[in-house]
Amino acid sequence: MKKALISLTIFVFCVLMVSCGSGSSDNGDTDTSTDTDTDTTDNPDTATDTDPTDEPVNPTDPTTDEPTDPTDPTDNPTDEPTDTPADNCTEGETRLGETVCGSTQHGKLYQVCKDGDWEDTEKCTCDPGEYPEVCGTYAQKMWFTSTSKVATIDLAEGWTRTYFLIEQEQEQDKIHAKATYCNIKIDNSVSYMLQIVMPQSFADALGTALKESYITKNDDSTFGFNQDVFWEIRGIDPACYGDNPEGYNLPTNSADPCVQDWDNDGMPGLTVNAKGTVGGNSIMNMVEKSSSIIHDGLISEDGLKIDALVSWTDEQKILYAENNALKNGSDNKIKDSSKEFDGPANFIEQFKIEDGSDCAFIVNNAATIFSPDPVTLK
């Protein structure tokens, strides 16, 4: 019994020694055992908190400092409507628009209100500055007085009247004009002998000429109107004279490669008709070289009327004539005064007319648009 008690005492002592030992021994041996105990229930300070009652932060919560959801339609500027309402306007009302017009690229088109919207018109204005405004549509009558000699016959005094449709743009004192030929009529004091008739195809073939004019300030506070020399070579290819029309010599041969059929009638040059006892009833084909200078003009204060004097030259070469008496053409020389009437012998009259008017309007209403002709033309 005594031996059994001693053995039990020794066993308990050994168990206590094992359970109280450290991870290392006094002789430096390393404890290589791995603690695999993962029970964290007895150590709440190191355990991960997975309490389901703690909800995550809501990024759309307006009380937080987090950015607002970019898909929120209330804060997205791209979702705002981009269409702007149409301008309110009264039917028929006009205003100056933003569309650039004309050859100068300085004028702007007027707009008119139609069905509640602004629409561009064909009316172009520009900047008159301190000068009278002369933009827009004008009718012009150009009158020449000459002495004419045909087939050795002195035809005394002759008159040429030309109607133009003028569209003008203005850069203060500079005027840029598009002059369209509407109609040409020639008469003389002995028209029973010879009358040259300019068919409408002649004027139509001349088309539109671009002219540059300028305004001057006169000492009496009025405004002058002038145009430097303007040359025209008719029935000729422009490539043949280039930038020197003054020095170009007209051909006399219809086969010359520079001659063109401007009026598209199958004949060289331009065709005119001759009547009277000398002219009979025949045709002529011609080319022509002319010049004009407008000077000493006067513009009305409101810009609606322009009067000026004209100096001019004219040279013709006949390429073909049915009547041999007309094969040398007409020798026309400017006259500074007339035996038939008083006043200027060579002049222009120019009147503002309604924008959008055409040549037919000018020709049909010439008697009311312009002053009476100095002499009555047939």
Side-chain angles (χ1 to χ4, degrees):
M1 182 66 176
K2 185 176 181 179
K3 289 182 178 180
L5 181 60
I6 293 172
S7 298
L8 177 62
T9 302
I10 294 172
F11 175 79
V12 172
F13 178 80
C14 292
V15 170
L16 290 173
M17 289 295 292
V18 170
S19 63
C20 293
S22 65
S24 61
S25 64
D26 291 343
N27 62 4
D29 291 339
T30 303
D31 182 9
T32 58
S33 62
T34 303
D35 186 4
T36 59
D37 185 6
T38 59
D39 185 4
T40 61
T41 59
D42 294 331
N43 187 9
D45 292 338
T46 59
T48 303
D49 187 3
T50 58
D51 189 353
T53 61
D54 293 331
E55 297 293 336
V57 176
N58 184 357
T60 62
D61 188 347
T63 64
T64 68
D65 293 332
E66 296 296 324
T68 303
D69 187 349
T71 62
D72 187 350
T74 61
D75 295 321
N76 186 2
T78 61
D79 290 335
E80 294 293 333
T82 56
D83 295 334
T84 57
D87 294 324
N88 293 326
C89 60
T90 303
E91 190 74 14
E93 183 183 2
T94 61
R95 72 176 184 182
L96 187 62
E98 293 298 326
T99 303
V100 176
C101 61
S103 58
T104 68
Q105 296 298 297
H106 288 277
K108 299 291 182 66
L109 289 178
Y110 277 102
Q111 293 182 319
V112 62
C113 181
K114 294 182 67 176
D115 299 327
D117 291 325
W118 289 105
E119 294 184 6
D120 286 340
T121 70
E122 295 182 356
K123 180 180 180 181
C124 183
T125 191
C126 46
D127 178 22
E130 58 185 341
Y131 298 90
E133 181 176 338
V134 291
C135 300
T137 306
Y138 286 78
Q140 185 186 96
K141 177 175 71 177
M142 181 177 286
W143 180 283
F144 291 164
T145 300
S146 65
T147 57
S148 299
K149 189 173 184 178
V150 179
T152 71
I153 301 173
D154 188 352
L155 299 181
E157 191 166 300
W159 311 288
T160 301
R161 176 191 59 191
T162 305
Y163 289 144
F164 292 92
L165 172 66
I166 306 288
E167 297 289 346
Q168 288 186 168
E169 303 162 35
Q170 183 179 2
E171 293 180 86
Q172 300 194 32
D173 63 332
K174 297 179 180 63
I175 301 173
H176 310 272
K178 299 179 182 179
T180 300
Y181 285 85
C182 294
N183 184 262
I184 303 173
K185 188 170 185 178
I186 298 177
D187 208 342
N188 60 70
S189 57
V190 289
S191 58
Y192 64 91
M193 296 181 62
L194 177 64
Q195 183 180 9
I196 302 299
V197 178
M198 312 295 284
Q200 186 60 41
S201 57
F202 189 102
D204 293 343
L206 302 183
T208 298
L210 302 179
K211 301 181 178 182
E212 303 292 323
S213 306
Y214 56 93
I215 304 174
T216 57
K217 293 181 179 179
N218 300 326
D219 293 337
D220 59 358
S221 298
T222 60
F223 292 91
F225 177 85
N226 300 274
Q227 176 192 290
D228 292 334
V229 61
F230 180 77
W231 286 94
E232 292 183 83
I233 310 294
R234 299 168 174 172
I236 297 294
D237 182 353
C240 291
Y241 55 83
D243 59 358
N244 185 28
E246 181 179 7
Y248 180 70
N249 294 318
L250 292 174
T252 57
N253 187 342
S254 61
D256 190 292
C258 290
V259 175
Q260 295 182 327
D261 177 14
W262 276 23
D263 50 12
N264 298 313
D265 63 353
M267 302 291 287
L270 290 160
T271 300
V272 298
N273 300 321
K275 295 182 178 181
T277 57
V278 174
N281 188 14
S282 60
I283 64 170
M284 295 185 295
N285 300 107
M286 56 179 283
V287 291
E288 189 172 24
K289 174 181 175 180
S290 67
S291 70
S292 60
I293 300 174
I294 298 176
H295 56 92
D296 296 308
L298 182 65
I299 303 175
S300 64
E301 186 175 351
D302 57 11
L304 301 181
K305 182 183 179 183
I306 301 174
D307 292 295
L309 303 179
V310 182
S311 297
W312 58 274
T313 63
D314 182 73
E315 178 187 358
Q316 301 170 359
K317 296 296 182 181
I318 304 302
L319 304 176
Y320 170 78
E322 283 185 322
N323 186 338
N324 286 334
L326 305 177
K327 64 181 180 180
N328 292 323
S330 175
D331 184 14
N332 301 318
K333 297 186 181 300
I334 187 172
K335 289 194 68 175
D336 294 328
S337 60
S338 172
K339 296 179 179 179
E340 304 291 333
F341 59 87
D342 297 327
N346 305 279
F347 61 87
I348 66 163
E349 277 188 340
Q350 187 166 311
F351 289 89
K352 186 76 168 66
I353 58 176
E354 184 177 354
D355 290 324
S357 300
D358 56 13
C359 275
F361 173 83
I362 294 174
V363 174
N364 294 335
N365 296 279
T368 56
I369 295 174
F370 302 104
S371 302
D373 293 332
V375 295
T376 301
L377 301 183
K378 296 180 179 179

